[in-house]
C-alpha cells in the first residue's frame, strides 16, 4: 500500500513551494517523497526516499518538549500555554496580547521557551549534546547528526525568531541569554533524520510512553497521551484543524517537508516531501497521510 | 465508578460561575451534577441528576452541524472554516480579519452560518421542527422539547449574536434574514435535555456514524470521524487545548453546564454541572470527565 | 485662484473610485468638482459645481457631535473616546478590545454613539427635525434637506453599521433601540448640501464658536477649538495623518466625496469631488485642499 | 503667569508614576517641575527647575526625524508611515499587520527606522556626533551632552526595542546591524537637556523652519509644518488625541517627563515633570501646558 501511495503521488504536479528562507532548504528537490511506518511489533514498512536525511526542523519541537517535561514537569506550563493559537508559526501578535507567554510549545515562540526550559544554566554545546543523545536513543540510531551548515544559515536568518525571543525576554519569560537560546534552537531544528529514523523515534508515543521495540519506557502513559494531545491541537500551526479533519491523527510538521504522525496502539508514520502548502506544512506529505489513514482506517476519531 | 466521581465532586466548593446573561440560566442551582455513559452495546450508566433537563445551549451545535452536512455536504465549508480560533466564543475580531467567514462551526458566528445553511429558504418554524425531530431520533426520545422561555429570553439578549450575524451579512456570508436566523438559533440553543438523553444522542459518533443501539446509520464513518475531529479541535472555544490535554476525548460544551464527550468505539458521556470556568466550560463537568478518563483509560491519545 | 485649481484638476485622470455600496452614490459622476471658501468677513469664493447638492455623509458627524456636546456636555465622553483609531471607518476590532466604547466620534461606531446621545428618548422623526433645523441655522439656508432615497438605500445596506450598533448595545453602551438609532443615523448621513452651504456651515469653527457673518455664537471658544482638534486627529479615518501632513488643517470627509476644512481665523473651505482614495476620502478634494493651502499658506502648523 | 502655574502645580498630589524600567530614571524625584517658553523675538520665560538637565528620551525623535528628512528627504516614508497608530509606544502588533513598516516616526519602531535612515553606513560614534552637533546647534548651547550612564542602562533593558528591530530586520526594513541601531538609539534617547535648552531647540518649528533668534534657516517652511503635523498627530502615542483636545498644540513627550510643544508664530514651550500618566506622558507637564494655553489662548485650533 505504501508503494501505491508513493506511485500515485509521484505524478502529482502540485507539490507546493519548498521553503526558501535559507539556501540549504531552497535547493532541496521537490521531487523527493518518502514514507515509513513503524509498528510496536517491530515492523518497519517503507517506500520512496526513506534513507535520505532531511532537516526535521519543527518536528524537533516534539522531542524538545518531551525532554523539557522530563526536566521541569508541569512547571513548564508557567512559561508556555497549551492552546492552539489560530495564528501562523512565527506570529508575535498573540505574544503582545498575552504578556509574552506563547500559546503552545509548537509555535516558534513556544519552542524558544521550551529550549530555555531545557538549558537550566548549561551551555548550548552541552544542551545540544543532550538533545542529540536523546534523539539517538529514541531512534536507536547513533548516526543521527546536526547539519551545522543548516544551523549556521538559520542563524544568519534569525531575525524573526530573535524578535520573538527578545520580546519574551522583555517580559521576563526567558531565563537565558537570547543569543544562546537562538543558537541552541537553530541547531535543534537542523537535526538531519530520514523517514525510517523518524518513524522509529515516534514509537514511544504509539504505546503510552513505551518503545515496545526496544522495551524502554520513555515517559509515563499520561505524559505520552498529553504530548499526543498537543500534537493534535497545535502540531500544524493554523493548519491544525485541517490536518485533524483530513488525517485524524496527532502529528507534527516541519518546514523541511517532514511530518511525524502517531496512531496510538497502531504505529508511527513519518513522511517527507519538501513542497509546502500555504501555511507551511508538507503538501504531498499531508495528502499521503490522508490516503494512508483512509486505506488503513487508522484514526483516533473512529474505531 | 460514576457514583464515586459524583460523591467526590459533591463536596467541591469551587464550582465556577453559573451563566448569568439570562435569568433562566442564572437561577439554576450550581449544586446540580449528573453524569451518564451510553455504550454501543446498549448499556446506560448514570449517577446524580441525570433525569432533569437542562439547556444544552452550544452542544446543539454538534447536531446542527450534522444536519447541515447532510443537507449541504462539503459545500458548507465555503461559509465556515474548521480551524480552532484561539478566541472566545463570541469574538468578532477574527471575522473582521477574515472577511466575515467564521473560523469553525462551534463558535457562535460559525453556528449562525450553520443555521443559515440548514434553513434553505424555509421558515424558522419548519427548521426548528426538523431540528427537534432529528434530536428526538438521535436520542430515541420523543419527549425532548424546546424551552421557549429560555429562547425568548435569549432573544432579548441577542445583541452580541445580532452583531455577529449582521457582520457576516455585510460580507454576503448569510443568505437568510438576520432576525430569522437569530430566532432559529435561539431556539436551537434552548433545547432542553437531560444527561441520559444527551449521552444516547451521541452514540452515532461513538461507532463511526451508526447508532449501534437502534441499529440506524446516521452519517457515514468518514463524516462521524470528521465531526469528532471538529469537536476535538474547537469544542471548548479557547479552552479546547486544555480539554484535549486533560480529558483526551472530543467533546462539546454548552453554557448551560453540559458537556458531551465521545470515546470512539467505547461510549458517549454526558455530564452536567452548571458552574462554568473562566472560558465558559463546565468546571466540575470537565473535572468529572478527567476523573472518568483517568479511571477508565478512555482516551483517543493512548490505547 | 480657486478657478486655477479647478482648471488644473479638471484634466486629472486619476479621480479614485466613487462609493458604490448604494446605487444613489454609485451613479454620481466622478467628473464633478466644486470648491467654496467662506470667510468670517462674509465673503464667499467659489469655483466649479458649487450649487449642486451632494450627500454629505460623514461630514454630518461634525454637526451631530456639536449638537451632542450641547445637550450632554463632556458627559458624552463616557460613551465615546477622542483618540485616532488607526483603523478603517467601519472596523469593529477596536470595539472588542475596548469593551464596546468607540475610539472617537468620527468613526461609524462613534457616530452611532453620538446619535444615541442626541436622542434622549425622542423619536427619530423629532431628532431628525432637530438636526435639520440646526444645519439650516448653521448654513443660514432653509432649503437644505434629507435625501430620503439615499437614506432608504443606506438602510437596506445597513448590516455593517447594525453590527457595530448591536455590538455596543451588548456592552450597554447604547441607550436607545438599535433600529431607531440606525434609522436616524441613515438620515443624518443623507443630508444633501452643496459646497456653498457647507462652507458657510463651518464658519462657527473658524471664529472660536461664533458665526461672524450672522453674528450668532454657536458654541464656546473652547468647544469650537476642541471640535477642530477632533477633526484634525480623527477626521479622515486611517488617512488622518496623511491629511494633516499634506493639508495642515482640521477637516472632515464624507464618502459622498465632500470635505469640510477649517482654517481658524481665516476661513471655512468645502470641496466636492466624488472619487475616493483607498481609505475613503475624496481624492481630488484632498488634492485641491493641498493646492489651496500651499497657495494661501493657510496651515495651523505655520504662521 | 509661569510662576502661577508652577505654584499651583506644586501642591498637586497626583503626579503620576516616574518611569522605572531603568534605575537612572526611577531615582529622579517626582517633585521636579520646570517650564520655559522661548519666543521668536528672543525672549525666554522660565519658572521652576529649568536649569537641571533631564533625559529627553523620545523628544529626541523630533530632532532625529529632522536630520533624517535632511538626509533622505521624502525617501524615508518608504520605511516609516505617518499615521497615528492608536497603540502604545512599544507595540509590535501593528508591525506584524503591516509587514514591518512602522506607522509613524514617533513610536519606538518608527524611531528605530529613522536612526537606520540617518546612519547611511556610518558607525554609531559618528552618527551620535552628528546628532549631538545638530542639537547643540539648534539650542545654541555647546554644553548639551549624552548621559552615557542612562544609555548604558537602556541597553541593558533593550529587549523590547531589540524585538522591534529584529522584527523589522526580518522584513528587510532596516539596512544596518541591529545592535548598532540599538546602540545609537539608546544614546540618542539619553540626551540630557534642561527646559531652557529644549525650548530654544524648538524655535525653528515656531517660525516656519527659521530660528529667528539665531537667524538661521534649519529646514524649509513646508518641512517645519510637516514636522509639526507629525507631532500633533503622533507625538503622544495613544494619548495624542487627548493632548490635542486639551492642549491644542503640536507636541512631543518623553518618558523622562519632558514635553516640547510648539505654538506656530508664538513660541516654543518646554515643560518637565517626571511623573507619567498611564500612557507614558508627563502628567503635570500636560496639565501645565493645558493651563498655559488656556491662559494665553495659544492654540492651533483657534485664532
Amino acid at each position: 500500500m505504501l508503494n501505491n501511495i508513493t506511485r500515485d503521488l509521484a505524478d502529482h504536479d502540485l507539490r507546493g513551494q519548498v521553503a526558501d528562507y535559507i539556501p540549504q532548504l531552497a535547493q532541496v528537490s521537490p521531487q523527493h517523497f518518502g514514507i515509513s511506518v513503524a509498528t510496536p511489533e517491530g515492523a518497519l514498512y517503507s517506500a520512496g526516499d526513506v534513507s535520505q536525511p532531511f532537516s526535521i526542523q519543527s518536528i524537533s519541537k516534539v522531542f524538545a518538549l518531551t525532554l523539557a517535561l522530563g526536566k521541569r514537569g508541569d512547571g513548564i506550563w508557567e512559561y508556555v500555554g497549551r492552546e492552539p493559537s489560530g495564528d501562523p508559526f512565527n506570529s508575535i501578535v498573540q505574544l503582545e496580547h498575552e504578556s509574552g507567554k506563547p500559546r503552545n510549545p509548537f509555535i516558534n515562540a513556544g519552542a524558544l521557551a521550551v529550549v530555555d526550559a531545557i538549558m537550566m544554566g548549561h551551555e548550548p554545546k552541552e544542551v545540544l549534546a543532550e538533545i542529540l543523545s536523546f534523539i539517538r536513543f529514541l531512534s536507536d540510531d547513533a548516526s543521527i547528526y546536526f547539519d551545522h551548515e543548516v544551523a549556521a544559515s538559520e542563524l544568519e536568518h534569525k531575525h524573526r525568531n530573535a524578535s520573538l525571543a527578545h520580546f519574551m525576554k522583555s517580559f521576563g519569560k526567558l531565563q537565558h541569554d537570547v543569543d544562546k537560546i537562538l543558537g541552541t534552537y537553530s541547531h535543534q531544528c537542523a537535526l538531519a533524520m530520514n523517514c525510517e529514523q523518524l518513524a522509529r523515534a515516534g514509537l514511544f508515543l504509539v504505546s503510552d510512553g513505551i518503545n515496545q521495540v526496544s522495551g524502554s519506557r520513555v515517559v509515563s502513559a499520561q505524559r505520552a497521551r498529553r504530548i499526543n494531545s498537543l500534537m493534535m491541537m497545535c502540531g500544524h500551526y493554523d493548519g491544525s484543524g485541517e490536518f485533524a479533519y483530513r488525517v485524524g491523527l496527532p502529528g507534527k510538521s516541519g518546514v523541511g517537508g517532514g511530518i511525524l504522525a502517531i496512531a496510538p496502539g497502531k504505529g508511527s508514520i513519518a513522511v517527507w516531501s519538501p513542497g509546502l502548502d500555504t501555511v507551511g506544512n508538507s503538501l504531498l506529505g499531508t495528502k499521503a497521510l490522508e490516503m494512508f489513514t483512509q486505506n488503513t482506517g487508522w484514526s483516533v476519531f473512529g474505531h
Side-chain angles (χ1 to χ4, degrees), chain A:
Chain A
M1 184 189 55
L2 297 186
N3 286 320
N4 288 346
I5 291 174
T6 306
R7 208 176 311 120
D8 283 0
L9 294 178
D11 299 333
H12 258 256
D13 283 340
L14 289 173
R15 292 177 164 264
Q17 289 291 317
V18 173
D20 58 1
Y21 68 100
I22 59 170
Q24 286 76 7
L25 293 181
Q27 69 204 19
V28 177
S29 163
Q31 294 304 318
H32 285 300
F33 177 83
I35 181 166
S36 291
V37 181
T39 71
E41 296 78 25
L44 184 67
Y45 307 98
S46 287
D49 305 325
V50 296
S51 304
Q52 180 170 338
F54 58 89
S55 195
I56 69 165
Q57 294 290 325
S58 291
I59 304 174
S60 68
K61 294 170 181 172
V62 175
F63 308 118
L65 174 65
T66 306
L67 264 183
L69 283 165
K71 291 180 160 214
R72 295 299 191 92
D74 283 345
I76 71 157
W77 303 122
E78 193 178 334
Y79 298 100
V80 61
R82 44 198 195 222
E83 287 297 331
S85 70
D87 290 316
F89 65 95
N90 60 2
S91 176
I92 202 163
V93 169
Q94 174 265 330
L95 275 190
E96 178 160 324
H97 289 156
E98 294 171 20
S99 301
K101 182 176 179 178
R103 268 289 172 93
N104 67 63
F106 294 154
I107 51 174
N108 285 14
L112 291 164
V114 166
V115 167
D116 187 61
I118 294 174
M119 292 184 78
M120 300 186 81
H122 294 286
E123 288 301 304
K125 196 186 297 191
E126 301 166 287
V127 178
L128 289 169
E130 186 177 11
I131 291 173
L132 187 59
S133 168
F134 182 58
I135 192 73
R136 286 174 171 174
F137 159 68
L138 289 179
S139 302
D140 193 21
D141 189 331
S143 73
I144 295 169
Y145 61 96
F146 292 118
D147 184 328
H148 293 288
E149 206 181 324
V150 167
S153 196
E154 300 262 14
L155 270 179
E156 277 174 35
H157 297 80
K158 70 176 177 183
H159 292 294
R160 187 67 175 255
N161 287 331
S163 178
L164 296 168
H166 281 291
F167 200 89
M168 289 187 278
K169 185 86 176 175
S170 77
F171 279 97
K173 300 290 186 190
L174 295 178
Q175 313 307 312
H176 297 84
D177 178 77
V178 165
D179 284 334
K180 290 186 178 178
I181 294 171
L182 291 172
T184 307
Y185 177 69
S186 294
H187 277 82
Q188 170 197 305
C189 288
L191 270 168
M193 294 175 74
N194 63 36
C195 284
E196 297 197 339
Q197 292 164 335
L198 192 55
R200 280 202 305 269
L203 277 173
F204 77 102
L205 294 171
V206 174
S207 304
D208 277 347
I210 297 174
N211 182 328
Q212 301 269 22
V213 179
S214 69
S216 49
R217 171 166 291 286
V218 180
V219 295
S220 71
Q222 187 184 56
R223 183 159 294 166
R225 292 173 176 208
R226 288 175 164 182
I227 293 170
N228 282 339
S229 80
L230 287 158
M231 291 172 75
M232 175 63 84
M233 301 305 288
C234 322
H236 290 75
Y237 317 119
D238 45 347
S240 297
E242 191 67 13
F243 189 84
Y245 186 85
R246 288 173 53 196
V247 175
L249 297 177
K252 182 75 205 82
S253 66
V255 80
I259 303 177
L260 172 64
I262 303 297
K266 289 168 182 147
S268 163
I269 311 131
V271 292
W272 175 48
S273 175
L276 306 178
D277 63 22
T278 53
V279 293
N281 302 309
S282 175
L283 197 149
L284 286 197
T286 307
K287 182 74 191 151
L289 286 167
E290 191 178 12
M291 294 165 74
F292 178 81
T293 53
Q294 278 176 0
N295 282 334
T296 56
W298 290 9
S299 162
V300 304
F301 299 120
H303 68 112

